[in-house]
Amino acid sequence: MNTPNSDQSLLDVAVVGGSIAGCVTAIRFSQMGYRVGIFDKKTMGDQSYKQLCTHFIQPHAVPVLAQIGLAHLYEPAYSVPTKAVFVTPGGLVEGPGNYLPGQQDLFALNLERRILDPALRAAAQQQGVRYLDATTVESIEQDDSGWSLHTRGETGSHRFRARLVVAADGRRSRLARELGNPTEEHPNDRASLRGYFTGIKTREDDRSVFIMNDRDLACVYPLPGGRTQLVLFAEKSRVESWRGPDGRLPQFLTYFDDLPDAPSMSDAVPETTLLGYTDYPNQIRQPVWGSIPFVGDAALSLDPMSGVGCGFALVSADLLARSFADRSLTGDDLRAGLDEYRARFEAVLLPHAEGICRDALVDKDEAAQRRTFETISGNPELSQKYLALTGRMLLPDEFKQDLMRAMMSAAFLKRRPRSSPTKPS
């Protein structure tokens, strides 16, 4: 990676954090002609990537990859284009081709981070972004002309100047703590386990299957090369009770094998040990704090069961860059760009957070949930819109209106008395 010198001390945009949101932010601003630097505290190499991830990039975010020069990641050697199928208490939810009528045929991507993360870093450097890994931003200071960043890395301490600083430093954001951007936290009642396997026969159409089982969600993601990722989001007590001489793997595979809508686990061969977490609360921060925009997990880090992590990172970075199109990074233009980003973030991403936080709680009315999904699965148009909602291509309020109309109509037809046959005169 790059080593700082005197020529690199002056930047237009300094991005703190070099994962998905940080790299996309840097690439997009560099495409607009700005001098951009990324600062990441970790030492990066080809084997540096996030492991605890579903790798499911929802359809609303997939086009961003093409915009930053990574359209080749759509190809079968790198990912599996997929769509979702939901097995629910009320029936199967499996829409037709398009997510919404009249839209192009978009798809989700099962794209592993071992592929995506190095590709993003390489794309950033090819775009001319200065990537400084193993470099910690210890403090930042603002004056009338911009920001000073005080860093420490392998070559010692350095000072950089930038007109705009972007916080892309994850859910444990150091910049949020230093600047005082408060963290709004909501509980998550589920733990998660996941693993990679060969020998599992998934659907021939490469659909990703999401099985609602009691209060759990079991996920089957087809990957390139005949590999499969299995992910389980379950009540914490269930996961914590799985202990044995062979770890949790036997109980994990038995759980999936007992699901009638999951593929057989009889020939499953694990590639790795199981990964997971026991506590992952939802976190929401202000997308703009002072004159610092926050992107990715630094702004919105939600229950991984929702599958929004990679997609929201891609989209939030793109929304920020779009907000500064045809604007400078000074004066009224800077303030207008930040205000527009806040508005875009609150309109496009934040509306999904309420439902995600609610779904992270397991104490639900099971009968009401069954009625809801009976209505959705029995209505092809509503099924299509539910898939669009879970793909983050439809806002929750719009779906709720359609769902309520459908449920009221179903209730009316159920109560409507049958007409008696007319007697012949």
Side-chain angles (χ1 to χ4, degrees):
M1 298 295 178
N2 296 333
T3 301
N5 56 47
S6 58
D7 293 334
Q8 294 178 312
S9 63
L10 297 177
L11 300 168
D12 296 314
V13 182
V15 181
V16 182
S19 191
I20 293 179
C23 283
V24 176
T25 298
I27 292 169
R28 294 287 281 111
F29 274 94
S30 184
Q31 287 174 334
M32 292 189 284
Y34 291 114
R35 297 169 298 175
V36 185
I38 293 176
F39 301 85
D40 198 293
K41 64 183 180 181
K42 297 179 181 178
T43 300
M44 295 297 181
D46 289 341
Q47 298 304 310
S48 301
Y49 56 88
K50 185 175 181 178
Q51 295 186 6
L52 196 60
C53 184
T54 62
H55 315 309
F56 184 73
I57 299 180
Q58 293 171 325
H60 76 126
V62 170
V64 177
L65 294 174
Q67 295 165 13
I68 60 173
L70 294 180
H72 68 279
L73 296 183
Y74 301 167
E75 297 172 6
Y78 302 101
S79 67
V80 173
T82 187
K83 292 184 178 179
V85 174
F86 288 88
V87 181
T88 80
L92 193 68
V93 179
E94 182 174 10
N98 292 359
Y99 276 89
L100 286 174
Q103 285 192 344
Q104 60 178 325
D105 189 15
L106 297 177
F107 49 85
L109 277 183
N110 289 339
L111 174 59
E112 294 177 73
R113 298 291 293 272
R114 67 182 180 88
I115 301 294
L116 177 59
D117 290 8
L120 282 168
R121 293 194 295 268
Q125 292 183 84
Q126 290 168 7
Q127 180 60 39
V129 174
R130 300 163 186 169
Y131 197 117
L132 290 93
D133 66 337
T135 301
T136 299
V137 177
E138 296 190 320
S139 64
I140 62 174
E141 299 171 355
Q142 188 179 25
D143 56 34
D144 292 340
S145 61
W147 291 91
S148 293
L149 294 88
H150 302 279
T151 71
R152 180 175 294 278
E154 294 176 339
T155 60
S157 299
H158 297 272
R159 177 176 175 269
F160 292 82
R161 292 286 300 172
R163 291 189 286 167
L164 175 68
V165 174
V166 179
D169 53 344
R171 64 183 276 122
R172 297 184 179 90
S173 172
R174 180 170 180 169
L175 283 183
R177 293 195 303 271
E178 180 176 341
L179 299 170
N181 189 351
T183 302
E184 178 185 329
E185 195 163 285
H186 299 267
N188 180 359
D189 289 347
R190 294 181 183 86
S192 178
L193 288 175
R194 62 199 68 200
Y196 300 88
F197 300 86
T198 58
I200 297 175
K201 186 175 177 55
T202 55
R203 289 178 49 137
E204 292 183 358
D205 59 3
D206 285 333
R207 294 265 182 152
S208 297
V209 182
F210 302 87
I211 304 169
M212 299 179 185
N213 181 45
D214 192 11
R215 298 175 178 182
D216 304 342
L217 181 69
C219 313
V220 180
Y221 298 99
L223 299 173
R227 299 163 58 250
T228 305
Q229 185 184 202
L230 302 178
V231 184
L232 175 63
F233 301 96
E235 291 186 74
K236 294 178 181 180
S237 59
R238 183 195 304 279
V239 172
E240 291 169 352
S241 70
W242 286 352
R243 298 289 183 183
D246 298 322
R248 292 169 168 164
L249 182 61
Q251 296 98 322
F252 180 82
L253 288 175
T254 298
Y255 182 97
F256 274 86
D257 217 20
D258 288 343
L259 296 173
D261 296 287
S264 171
M265 300 292 119
S266 59
D267 296 322
V269 178
E271 283 192 335
T272 63
T273 58
L274 293 179
L275 304 172
Y277 61 80
T278 56
D279 190 33
Y280 198 100
N282 295 282
Q283 293 184 351
I284 303 171
R285 296 191 182 102
Q286 293 296 318
V288 177
W289 189 255
S291 58
I292 300 283
F294 285 69
V295 294
D297 281 355
L300 199 58
S301 181
L302 300 173
D303 182 3
M305 191 178 78
S306 65
V308 299
C310 292
F312 279 12
L314 289 162
V315 170
S316 62
D318 185 59
L319 292 177
L320 176 62
R322 289 177 181 273
S323 299
F324 280 90
D326 302 320
R327 286 193 172 109
S328 70
L329 300 178
T330 59
D332 291 342
D333 269 1
L334 175 63
R335 189 71 256 167
L338 293 172
D339 289 345
E340 182 173 331
Y341 171 60
R342 180 193 296 276
R344 286 174 179 263
F345 185 97
E346 292 176 349
V348 174
L349 300 181
L350 201 54
H352 295 282
E354 179 183 353
I356 292 171
C357 291
R358 185 171 59 249
D359 287 342
L361 305 176
V362 299
D363 187 16
K364 294 181 180 179
D365 186 333
E366 294 182 11
Q369 188 179 38
R370 185 179 301 107
R371 288 194 300 271
T372 295
F373 281 109
E374 285 174 352
T375 302
I376 295 171
S377 65
N379 184 322
E381 181 179 354
L382 202 57
S383 292
Q384 190 177 38
K385 290 187 175 182
Y386 179 76
L387 294 176
L389 170 69
T390 60
R392 313 304 159 187
M393 300 170 63
L394 187 70
L395 291 177
D397 283 349
E398 184 176 347
F399 178 77
K400 287 177 185 177
Q401 292 174 7
D402 292 334
L403 174 62
M404 291 305 299
R405 283 195 292 265
M407 295 188 75
M408 291 173 64
S409 176
F412 173 76
L413 292 175
K414 188 175 182 179
R415 293 195 304 268
R416 185 178 179 181
R418 295 180 180 178
S419 58
S420 302
T422 304
K423 294 181 179 181
S425 56

